[in-house]
Amino acid sequence: MALANYVKSMIEEKDWYITNLSNIAACLWQQLPDVSWVGFYLMNDITDSCSGEDKELILGPFQGKVACTHIAINRGVCGVSAGEDKTLIVPDVSKFAGYIACDSDARSEIVVPLHNEKGDVIGVLDIDSNTLGRFSEKNEESADLIECAALISKILPDSSLK
Ligand code: SME
């Protein structure tokens, strides 16, 4: 599919994964119409001296406005997608309980989990739009983005980021 082909060409040459993710974010940003933010949140281990080791999402390469830097697992669309290992398509973000508004103009969102080779969630691909209902489960573009995420997963490190 069109977007997946771009991603494929960008990961062909092995590079630092942050370098690849930066260009993939830029490419999706250039190719997708009517999107306001495209980027990655990556799983980060955080050690809390009281409760032991935990995880959160931390902002990775992106295109768009300045965004939230840390998202707890199971919080917001990204945190729920990562926590439940599910692609989430939110046609109206105002109806999503716990939605994290980094940009008050954002109206709809798609979040696709990324995995390491073992199948653990190691981050998410997050795309926002200022248009209500911009993303749909039924269209080819969503399937294309899920395919992109599967390709991107191949270049991520095995374990969570330290
Ligand atoms: N809206 C997201 C937060 C990230 S920004 O959209 C870039 C969420 O609810 O998880």
Side-chain angles (χ1 to χ4, degrees):
M1 291 196 231
L3 297 170
N5 284 337
Y6 281 110
V7 169
K8 235 178 249 167
S9 70
M10 263 176 288
I11 61 174
E12 255 162 26
E13 278 192 37
K14 193 103 183 87
D15 221 320
W16 184 35
Y17 71 98
I18 293 291
T19 302
N20 289 136
L21 293 183
S22 303
N23 264 343
I24 292 167
C27 174
L28 295 176
W29 171 258
Q30 282 176 288
Q31 294 301 321
L32 288 166
D34 193 20
V35 298
S36 56
W37 199 91
V38 176
F40 298 95
Y41 280 91
L42 301 168
M43 200 73 96
N44 190 27
D45 285 337
I46 47 171
T47 303
D48 179 313
S49 52
C50 303
S51 61
E53 200 174 48
D54 208 345
K55 285 178 175 181
E56 65 169 1
L57 292 169
I58 186 162
L59 182 64
F62 72 96
Q63 296 279 311
K65 287 189 194 166
V66 169
C68 326
T69 49
H70 296 261
I71 297 178
I73 302 304
N74 294 317
R75 289 229 26 237
V77 188
C78 293
V80 173
S81 171
E84 297 185 0
D85 190 3
K86 255 198 218 154
T87 293
L88 294 180
I89 292 173
V90 182
D92 181 352
V93 293
S94 70
K95 306 238 161 71
F96 189 94
Y99 171 73
I100 301 166
C102 298
D103 172 4
S104 57
D105 290 329
R107 293 289 174 269
S108 60
E109 179 160 358
I110 180 170
V111 180
V112 188
L114 305 168
H115 303 92
N116 64 13
E117 278 183 2
K118 288 185 286 176
D120 306 320
V121 176
I122 200 168
V124 298
L125 166 63
D126 179 17
I127 304 177
D128 295 343
S129 171
N130 292 345
T131 301
L132 276 173
R134 163 67 184 80
F135 308 100
S136 155
E137 269 150 47
K138 292 180 197 107
N139 70 16
E140 224 175 88
E141 182 191 84
S142 302
D144 203 359
L145 289 170
I146 291 168
E147 198 180 332
C148 289
L151 291 167
I152 293 163
S153 292
K154 292 186 184 164
I155 60 158
L156 294 178
D158 287 345
S159 59
S160 301
L161 307 173
K162 296 276 182 198

